[in-house]
Amino acid sequence: MDPRVEKRLGLKQLVDKVVSAEEAAALIQDGTVVGMSGFTRAGDAKVVPMALVERAKNEKFKIDVYTGASLGPEVDNYLAAAGVINKRGPFQGDSVMRGLVNKGEISYVDAHLSHNAELVRQGIIGPIKHLILEAVAITEDGLIIPSNSVGNSPIFAEYAENIIIELNISHPEALIGIHDIYVPGEQGKRDAIPMTNAEQRIGEIGIKVDPAKIKAIVISEEPDAPSLIVPPDEETQDMANILLDFFRSEIKAGRLTNELMPLQSGVGSVANAVLDGFADAEFENLVVASEVLQDAVFNLIDAGKVRFAAATSITLTEELQKKVYGNLEKYADKICLRPQEISNHPELIRRLGLISINTALELDIYGNVNSTHVSGTKMMNGIGGSGDFARNARLGIFVTKSYAKGGAISSIVPMVSHVDHTEHDVDVIVTEQGIADLRGLAPKERVKLIIENCAHPDFKEQLWDYYNRAYEATGGAHTPHILEEALSWHVNLAKNKTMKKETANA
Amino acid sequence: MDPRVEKRLGLKQLVDKVVSAEEAAALIQDGTVVGMSGFTRAGDAKVVPMALVERAKNEKFKIDVYTGASLGPEVDNYLAAAGVINKRGPFQGDSVMRGLVNKGEISYVDAHLSHNAELVRQGIIGPIKHLILEAVAITEDGLIIPSNSVGNSPIFAEYAENIIIELNISHPEALIGIHDIYVPGEQGKRDAIPMTNAEQRIGEIGIKVDPAKIKAIVISEEPDAPSLIVPPDEETQDMANILLDFFRSEIKAGRLTNELMPLQSGVGSVANAVLDGFADAEFENLVVASEVLQDAVFNLIDAGKVRFAAATSITLTEELQKKVYGNLEKYADKICLRPQEISNHPELIRRLGLISINTALELDIYGNVNSTHVSGTKMMNGIGGSGDFARNARLGIFVTKSYAKGGAISSIVPMVSHVDHTEHDVDVIVTEQGIADLRGLAPKERVKLIIENCAHPDFKEQLWDYYNRAYEATGGAHTPHILEEALSWHVNLAKNKTMKKETANA
Ligand SMILES: CC(C)(COP(=O)(O)OP(=O)(O)OC[C@H]1O[C@@H](n2cnc3c(N)ncnc32)[C@H](O)[C@@H]1OP(=O)(O)O)[C@@H](O)C(=O)NCCC(=O)NCCS
Ligand SMILES: CC(C)(COP(=O)(O)OP(=O)(O)OC[C@H]1O[C@@H](n2cnc3c(N)ncnc32)[C@H](O)[C@@H]1OP(=O)(O)O)[C@@H](O)C(=O)NCCC(=O)NCCS
């Protein structure tokens, strides 16, 4: 046996479970529910899914795939394209998967990422026939050490009938010890989650399972697919500066200190770029308590700004992967990976008083946010953890550029075409134009801040025109709308490729 | 001094603070923020507000009024009509208040009821110049014992500069001891809330305040305004039966036991009527962990079905008021009133695994729920605690009749005109027609259950027609919509007083 494998496979009774990816893939049965590790392209099973792709060339079968969140191309691109996936939950972010979801070929159940575990406990998700779980090691005492994400693996492992391990020896051994696995018990019988600050460890370094459940171990050396985020640009830098100034004013108002509160920052390029902006700011001793640690967090650790960062996954670009995974020892005592039920738990988000920064696709003049549906119909990625955080955060911030598609689209519209976050869950909005602090305001009071401070100049007049006419038409009702027109900007976009109203040329 | 007052005013240093309602009302200053006790017409200040109404006859002044939830007529009708209220939060349910809100004359900030306390701590609500607090007693050691509701009074008392007490001697003394006041500390510094079952007491029987803050005590004998709910009818009885059958099937599936899980049931006639349906069912030993205890809960205690009921307020019709307040000793060890921050806390709702039953105004074919805005524009009451419960409950159930206004309105529409609860927060829908169990389903999978099981027969065909054409038009996208038409049912209602499409008579 490869000595690298021998070292990582501590529980020797499992040695005879080592099989090829094909053999493991052959265990998966048509029509079953399969859990997979992985969260935002990190720590996902790779070689068994690719063997399933191979198998699908000669055999028709379908499975339901539940994961932590989005996976890399092996599942959400190749396996999806092979026609193997019937149902998918709870998050994805791949163009192929998205395409199939929006053609009605894959049934996609996106969900609050903190909710999945309860659904597994209740058997709403399940019965899980197999869990395919990427690990960096199995310890002598039978703990499975996950790799770059924890996600839903602990709850899947508890409820799955069978487990297939992808033992990935390319991941650094220094990952051992950074996980903190705590799984709440049955509702009504469980204790309070015993965490009162984000740096606290409350669980074990790996997932405890009955070794009898482990039916196959496949050795892997496939790295995680790198994150696809694009680097900060001038506008995201502006957004970061606006946000930093807001934090300064909160400190002046006595609501924050220079250490702020634990920061959560969402998936995607914009949220990462905004966090990057902290590198040159005066805030220090920051704690990150997030879902995903993207590039920015490690840059901030390097810059001495972040003293501790917890999440459920680490998702890095190729450049950062090299830097971080090549020197993981350096970061090991500053990071922690938890189950997504814990990283996203309302109990903890509220108790710890998180500042959460997530990205909107579009938002409306009253502060409702759409994070998921392009023009109300086409799924982009999913709600992910944005609802867990925005609803329960001390400060729920949404960021977005004020426009999309070169200016044809205004990210601020009269009425969002789909609601993920209601007006009650959105405290602050930041675009490259400015900031709207909506806390404590009634809907009509929010309008001025949102249009004047956040909308793109090209659309301000059009937004005021809608609002003023809606106010008039409804006699100043609580939330003025002209229902005939509320979604007309999206209709215009579909017809004329722009949200800009035709203006009669004088 | 009236011996009844003497008995209730234990802290003798406060005796010289007893003043008339007029004198107390004179303390309230124009332009200030005033906190008031009261939750769903229960435990609200009455005589000082009425003195403010008097004062307003000769003086122009405005105040912002924050409460637990909706108050009785003294504030939300008379004081509102007197033009005294500038801003109002976080919930109301009065036709006069609603009218002024929908004419733009009162700025209304409705909010998740569990969120207010955090906003007070952060100073977003405030500074609170005065709190007017109805109490049944002030104990010798300076605890203020609230009356029929707790609401936000503890957090208001902590942050208010001055407190005016309405000592209401008409409330039964047996109220002393039923409250359980626990107030979390600062975010980031607080402990877990030490409650692991809904029957547990974790706090004190009253609100501890610095006696120096108490600037006036007014003696009152005004009873709470009775609840306005209407009795169950045949259709709500059908809804109850459908729900009871659903619980039976959940027991069969091993997801519930005969004791169910702690029940939350929302405000309003429908939720009360549905709960009433438990009286003749086999479920026993039930626990209620709710926001409001309406008539049905006391009927169920009498019937031996409910063994314990906790909430933040007791709101009863005139008939039940007599029965319950006349014999409160009988119920005293079976009920408990908590701050709304606790009754509605995500931490506890999730930990205890509540079953929550709230009422929708309308919902759409994908499971999004509107609880607040008539035709997207006019505020009815507010989101109240429905979001706290639906999002965090083990089972989030929404009930509504399938039609409104004699059949002109379908409660099930292509797209709700306002979203309070997203598709991710709605597990089960019940109308008098039937039930849709949406758990684990993708949007398009929900459509059939919602239309076939829940919609009124008069509207089924029209709903299918919309969905089928939307499916076609979008090529089976994730959430098919035709944006030009999505809100056309509401537009039709405004124009033609019905959501029914004109059908060409052959
Ligand atoms: C909203 C979300 C898609 C934004 O992603 P992002 O990478 O930061 O943002 P971008 O501005 O690059 O937008 C992504 C795409 O949406 C498009 N887009 C942005 N706003 C749009 C709008 N109003 N209408 C249509 N398309 C829009 C962009 O043009 C871009 O398209 P492209 O990929 O074809 O270039 C992403 O943050 C997300 O999925 N959020 C939901 C889940 C979540 O918030 N999780 C956080 C908890 S950790
Ligand atoms: C939604 C809500 C208004 C329903 O109240 P209810 O008393 O149970 O229900 P009703 O069916 O009697 O409806 C109330 C009114 O709304 C009207 N209505 C109902 N559905 C409607 C619709 N789809 N469109 C327009 N009006 C509608 C009814 O006709 C009735 O009007 P009326 O007072 O003029 O007769 C009420 O439950 C609420 O305010 N909910 C939000 C807050 C909440 O859920 N809190 C719970 C946490 S404890």
Side-chain angles (χ1 to χ4, degrees):
Chain A
M1 186 182 269
D2 185 329
R4 292 175 306 166
V5 175
E6 190 153 4
K7 207 166 152 202
R8 301 279 185 104
L9 188 42
L11 191 64
K12 296 306 168 198
Q13 73 186 83
L14 291 176
V15 168
D16 62 353
K17 300 286 177 198
V18 176
V19 296
S20 70
E22 295 66 41
E23 289 170 290
L27 299 173
I28 305 292
Q29 292 150 33
D30 184 32
T32 58
V33 176
V34 179
M36 295 194 191
S37 66
F39 197 108
T40 50
R41 304 166 72 88
D44 48 350
K46 300 166 196 75
V47 296
V48 179
M50 284 312 288
L52 284 170
V53 173
E54 279 306 308
R55 188 179 140 194
K57 288 182 182 160
N58 308 305
E59 186 192 335
K60 260 196 109 52
F61 64 99
K62 292 249 186 208
I63 55 174
D64 292 354
V65 175
Y66 289 93
T67 60
S70 52
L71 299 195
E74 292 83 358
V75 173
D76 282 349
N77 179 333
Y78 307 132
L79 196 61
V84 170
I85 302 180
N86 170 57
K87 199 165 205 168
R88 177 79 176 89
F91 191 75
Q92 62 76 37
D94 186 280
S95 64
V96 169
M97 170 67 73
R98 180 185 296 146
L100 293 165
V101 164
N102 286 319
K103 274 198 291 196
E105 294 186 10
I106 290 177
S107 192
Y108 175 46
V109 193
D110 86 307
H112 299 299
L113 295 184
S114 81
H115 280 197
N116 308 131
E118 307 291 8
L119 294 177
V120 172
R121 281 189 191 95
Q122 290 188 49
I124 302 294
I125 295 176
I128 301 169
K129 191 79 187 169
H130 284 90
L131 164 64
I132 312 179
L133 170 52
E134 187 182 80
V136 290
I138 302 176
T139 64
E140 275 172 41
D141 45 352
L143 286 179
I144 302 174
I145 312 294
S147 57
N148 295 323
S149 70
V150 180
N152 278 317
S153 297
I155 194 77
F156 288 164
E158 187 174 332
Y159 283 84
E161 191 182 323
N162 307 289
I163 299 175
I164 297 170
I165 303 281
E166 281 196 17
L167 191 64
N168 191 323
I169 56 178
S170 79
H171 289 310
E173 222 178 289
L175 277 169
I176 302 172
I178 75 156
H179 307 89
D180 182 37
I181 312 296
Y182 175 92
V183 183
E186 284 289 322
Q187 284 182 317
K189 296 177 185 160
R190 67 176 60 153
D191 289 326
I193 302 173
M195 191 191 296
T196 51
N197 82 66
E199 293 163 75
Q200 209 173 325
R201 297 190 143 272
I202 58 172
E204 296 197 77
I205 63 161
I207 303 170
K208 185 93 211 152
V209 301
D210 174 2
K213 277 193 187 181
I214 300 179
K215 299 296 157 58
I217 296 174
V218 178
I219 310 304
S220 160
E221 301 197 48
E222 290 299 319
D224 284 348
S227 139
L228 301 172
I229 53 167
V230 298
D233 59 26
E234 205 176 307
E235 286 174 336
T236 54
Q237 187 60 53
D238 287 345
M239 289 157 74
N241 288 336
I242 290 165
L243 196 56
L244 294 170
D245 272 343
F246 170 70
F247 290 140
R248 289 178 190 116
S249 68
E250 286 293 289
I251 293 173
K252 267 210 190 113
R255 281 195 279 269
L256 289 175
T257 70
N258 198 49
E259 293 188 10
L260 303 179
M261 293 294 271
L263 291 167
Q264 177 265 336
S265 154
V267 296
S269 304
V270 175
N272 180 66
V274 167
L275 204 58
D276 228 43
F278 278 85
D280 304 318
E282 71 277 23
F283 308 105
E284 276 175 338
N285 228 352
L286 300 172
V287 169
V288 170
S290 202
E291 196 182 272
V292 183
L293 305 181
Q294 299 190 113
D295 290 15
V297 171
F298 291 89
N299 293 335
L300 292 175
I301 293 178
D302 287 348
K305 297 289 184 189
V306 164
R307 77 162 187 267
F308 193 83
T312 195
S313 118
I314 302 174
T315 306
L316 302 172
T317 59
E318 210 155 355
E319 192 194 331
L320 264 280
Q321 282 193 352
K322 277 188 205 127
K323 184 167 111 171
V324 172
Y325 297 137
N327 296 286
L328 198 62
E329 298 76 11
K330 185 178 141 194
Y331 300 99
D333 64 334
K334 294 193 180 63
I335 57 178
C336 174
L337 290 180
R338 303 182 169 134
Q340 71 197 68
E341 183 176 18
I342 300 299
S343 62
N344 289 26
H345 206 294
E347 173 170 343
L348 299 175
I349 297 168
R350 180 81 72 97
R351 184 183 304 151
L352 302 177
L354 264 54
I355 296 174
S356 94
I357 308 166
N358 291 291
T359 311
L361 269 185
E362 62 174 5
L363 55 101
D364 68 29
I365 54 174
Y366 300 112
N368 299 284
V369 165
N370 173 7
S371 302
T372 56
H373 281 68
V374 175
S375 285
T377 286
K378 285 213 151 101
M379 172 55 66
M380 173 69 84
N381 300 327
I383 193 164
S386 55
D388 294 322
F389 289 104
R391 171 73 59 90
N392 299 299
R394 177 185 176 93
L395 249 177
I397 300 166
F398 280 90
V399 295
T400 177
K401 292 192 185 179
S402 70
Y403 66 93
K405 305 295 174 200
I409 293 177
S410 173
S411 305
I412 297 172
V413 292
M415 180 188 264
V416 285
S417 56
H418 179 91
V419 177
D420 292 296
H421 309 292
T422 77
E423 44 162 345
H424 307 299
D425 301 320
V426 179
D427 292 327
V428 173
I429 290 164
V430 176
T431 71
E432 83 289 352
Q433 299 293 325
I435 186 165
D437 179 356
L438 309 178
R439 293 174 297 171
L441 300 184
K444 292 193 292 280
E445 295 173 320
R446 298 175 203 140
V447 174
K448 187 167 185 234
L449 293 181
I450 295 176
I451 300 181
E452 286 301 314
N453 299 1
C454 297
H456 192 277
D458 285 1
F459 292 100
K460 275 188 187 174
E461 205 179 308
Q462 226 175 286
L463 286 166
W464 275 123
D465 175 56
Y466 175 83
Y467 174 72
N468 289 332
R469 285 183 299 108
Y471 188 98
E472 202 64 36
T474 62
H478 187 62
T479 306
H481 270 304
I482 302 171
L483 293 188
E484 289 91 331
E485 252 186 70
L487 300 171
S488 65
W489 292 35
H490 303 85
V491 172
N492 190 17
L493 177 68
K495 284 199 180 129
N496 303 314
K497 307 233 172 303
T498 177
M499 285 188 172
K500 283 181 190 142
K501 252 194 184 168
E502 253 176 75
T503 45
N505 291 338
Chain B
M1 186 182 270
D2 184 329
R4 291 175 306 166
V5 176
E6 191 155 0
K7 205 165 154 205
R8 301 280 186 101
L9 188 42
L11 192 64
K12 296 306 170 198
Q13 72 187 84
L14 292 175
V15 168
D16 62 353
K17 299 287 177 197
V18 177
V19 296
S20 69
E22 295 65 41
E23 287 169 291
L27 299 174
I28 304 292
Q29 292 149 33
D30 183 33
T32 58
V33 176
V34 178
M36 294 193 192
S37 66
F39 198 106
T40 51
R41 303 167 73 88
D44 48 348
K46 300 167 195 79
V47 296
V48 179
M50 284 313 287
L52 285 170
V53 173
E54 278 304 308
R55 189 178 138 193
K57 288 181 181 161
N58 308 306
E59 187 193 333
K60 258 196 113 51
F61 65 100
K62 292 249 184 207
I63 55 175
D64 292 354
V65 175
Y66 289 93
T67 60
S70 52
L71 300 195
E74 292 82 359
V75 172
D76 282 350
N77 179 332
Y78 308 132
L79 197 61
V84 169
I85 302 180
N86 170 57
K87 199 165 205 166
R88 177 78 175 90
F91 191 77
Q92 61 77 35
D94 185 281
S95 63
V96 169
M97 169 68 71
R98 181 185 297 147
L100 293 165
V101 164
N102 286 318
K103 275 198 290 196
E105 294 186 10
I106 291 177
S107 191
Y108 174 46
V109 193
D110 86 308
H112 299 301
L113 296 184
S114 82
H115 279 197
N116 308 130
E118 306 292 7
L119 294 178
V120 172
R121 281 189 191 96
Q122 290 189 50
I124 302 295
I125 294 177
I128 301 170
K129 191 77 186 172
H130 285 90
L131 164 64
I132 312 179
L133 170 50
E134 188 183 80
V136 289
I138 303 175
T139 64
E140 272 171 44
D141 44 353
L143 285 178
I144 301 174
I145 312 294
S147 57
N148 295 323
S149 71
V150 179
N152 278 318
S153 297
I155 193 78
F156 288 164
E158 188 175 332
Y159 283 84
E161 191 182 324
N162 307 288
I163 298 175
I164 297 170
I165 303 281
E166 280 196 16
L167 191 64
N168 191 325
I169 54 177
S170 79
H171 289 309
E173 223 178 288
L175 277 168
I176 302 172
I178 76 156
H179 307 89
D180 182 36
I181 311 296
Y182 175 91
V183 183
E186 283 289 323
Q187 285 182 317
K189 295 178 186 159
R190 67 175 60 153
D191 289 327
I193 302 173
M195 191 192 296
T196 51
N197 83 64
E199 293 164 75
Q200 210 174 325
R201 299 190 142 271
I202 58 173
E204 296 198 78
I205 62 160
I207 303 170
K208 185 95 209 151
V209 301
D210 173 3
K213 275 193 186 181
I214 300 178
K215 299 297 159 56
I217 296 174
V218 177
I219 309 305
S220 161
E221 301 197 49
E222 290 299 317
D224 284 349
S227 140
L228 300 172
I229 54 168
V230 298
D233 59 27
E234 204 176 308
E235 287 175 335
T236 55
Q237 186 60 50
D238 287 345
M239 290 158 73
N241 288 336
I242 290 165
L243 196 57
L244 293 170
D245 272 343
F246 170 71
F247 290 141
R248 290 179 189 115
S249 69
E250 286 293 288
I251 293 173
K252 268 212 188 110
R255 280 194 280 271
L256 289 175
T257 70
N258 198 47
E259 293 187 9
L260 304 179
M261 293 294 270
L263 291 167
Q264 177 264 335
S265 154
V267 295
S269 305
V270 176
N272 180 67
V274 168
L275 203 58
D276 228 43
F278 277 83
D280 303 318
E282 71 277 23
F283 309 105
E284 276 176 337
N285 228 351
L286 300 172
V287 169
V288 170
S290 202
E291 197 181 272
V292 183
L293 306 181
Q294 299 189 116
D295 289 16
V297 172
F298 291 89
N299 293 334
L300 291 175
I301 292 179
D302 287 347
K305 297 290 182 188
V306 165
R307 76 163 188 266
F308 194 84
T312 194
S313 116
I314 301 174
T315 306
L316 302 173
T317 59
E318 210 156 355
E319 191 193 332
L320 265 279
Q321 282 193 353
K322 277 190 205 126
K323 184 167 110 170
V324 172
Y325 297 138
N327 296 286
L328 198 62
E329 297 75 12
K330 184 178 143 194
Y331 299 99
D333 64 336
K334 294 194 181 62
I335 56 177
C336 174
L337 291 181
R338 302 182 171 133
Q340 72 197 69
E341 183 175 19
I342 299 299
S343 63
N344 288 28
H345 206 294
E347 172 170 342
L348 299 175
I349 296 168
R350 181 80 73 96
R351 183 184 303 151
L352 303 177
L354 264 54
I355 296 174
S356 93
I357 309 166
N358 291 291
T359 312
L361 269 185
E362 61 173 6
L363 53 101
D364 68 29
I365 55 174
Y366 300 111
N368 299 285
V369 164
N370 173 8
S371 302
T372 56
H373 281 69
V374 175
S375 284
T377 285
K378 285 216 151 101
M379 172 54 67
M380 172 70 82
N381 300 328
I383 193 164
S386 55
D388 294 321
F389 289 103
R391 171 71 61 89
N392 298 298
R394 177 185 175 92
L395 249 177
I397 300 166
F398 280 90
V399 294
T400 178
K401 293 193 184 179
S402 70
Y403 66 93
K405 304 294 174 202
I409 294 177
S410 172
S411 305
I412 297 173
V413 290
M415 180 188 263
V416 285
S417 56
H418 180 92
V419 177
D420 292 296
H421 310 290
T422 78
E423 44 163 345
H424 307 299
D425 301 320
V426 179
D427 293 327
V428 173
I429 289 165
V430 176
T431 71
E432 82 290 351
Q433 300 292 325
I435 186 165
D437 179 357
L438 308 179
R439 293 174 297 171
L441 300 184
K444 292 194 292 281
E445 295 173 322
R446 298 175 203 141
V447 174
K448 189 170 179 226
L449 293 180
I450 295 176
I451 300 181
E452 284 303 313
N453 299 1
C454 296
H456 192 276
D458 285 1
F459 292 101
K460 275 189 187 172
E461 204 178 310
Q462 227 176 287
L463 287 167
W464 274 124
D465 175 58
Y466 176 83
Y467 174 71
N468 290 332
R469 286 184 298 110
Y471 188 98
E472 204 62 35
T474 62
H478 187 62
T479 305
H481 270 304
I482 303 172
L483 293 188
E484 289 90 331
E485 252 185 68
L487 299 171
S488 66
W489 292 35
H490 303 85
V491 172
N492 190 15
L493 177 68
K495 283 198 182 131
N496 304 314
K497 308 233 175 305
T498 177
M499 285 188 171
K500 285 185 191 140
K501 253 193 183 169
E502 253 176 77
T503 43
N505 290 338

